[in-house]
Amino acid sequence: RMRPFDEAIKVADHIPGIGVRIAQEILAEMGTDMSRFPSHYHLASWAGLSPGNNESAGKRLSGRIKHGNPHIRTALVEAAHAAAHTKDTYYSAMYHRLAARRGAKRAIVAVAHAILVALYHMLKNGTCYEDLGPDYLEKLGRERLVRKAKKQLENLGYRVTLEAA
């Protein structure tokens, strides 16, 4: 019954944490036609993996995820657990960074959301998965810090030339 999805299963299998069985579960629930979802936000909401944010008057209230498709959500959380325990991948680094601040369960839901968004774009654009690497966000942070320090010095009237050490 899954033969029409063979190509999409192979594409999804490249994502860390997703194996053939999880890919079959996910694709059986959402299909391969991503035109029915206007954006990845709609898909995440349908799957029940939209990040919750309920704040009023500076008071943080419940941030629970909404009810969605329980089958796809369960499969993605299972894939997120597997991806969080891989070595030297973007999802593993994401999990460990978030779990330290927000807790393990919230980090797992965030990784599941990220996997779903990546799968959406892969199926919609027909691309393959490329891992960003475990130090992707650290590189972005470092470049941002260098630009900010350079701009501050230039605002103080200094001419700055950067040279790698």
Side-chain angles (χ1 to χ4, degrees), residues 60-140:
R60 287 191 179 158
L61 304 171
S62 173
R64 290 181 55 99
I65 56 176
K66 303 295 181 203
H67 296 286
N69 187 319
H71 305 290
I72 194 169
R73 187 174 62 237
T74 303
L76 283 166
V77 166
E78 187 177 327
H81 275 287
H85 298 299
T86 56
K87 292 193 182 287
D88 297 329
T89 63
Y90 172 73
Y91 294 128
S92 175
M94 178 184 187
Y95 169 77
H96 290 293
R97 192 181 68 251
L98 289 172
R101 289 180 311 166
R102 305 281 291 155
K105 289 186 179 182
R106 287 178 191 254
I108 285 294
V109 171
V111 171
H113 175 82
I115 290 172
L116 181 65
V117 169
L119 185 59
Y120 170 82
H121 288 293
M122 289 167 57
L123 291 174
K124 185 172 184 180
N125 302 329
T127 57
C128 291
Y129 177 76
E130 292 180 27
D131 193 65
L132 297 173
D135 57 346
Y136 174 73
L137 291 171
E138 292 171 9
K139 285 180 187 175
L140 285 181

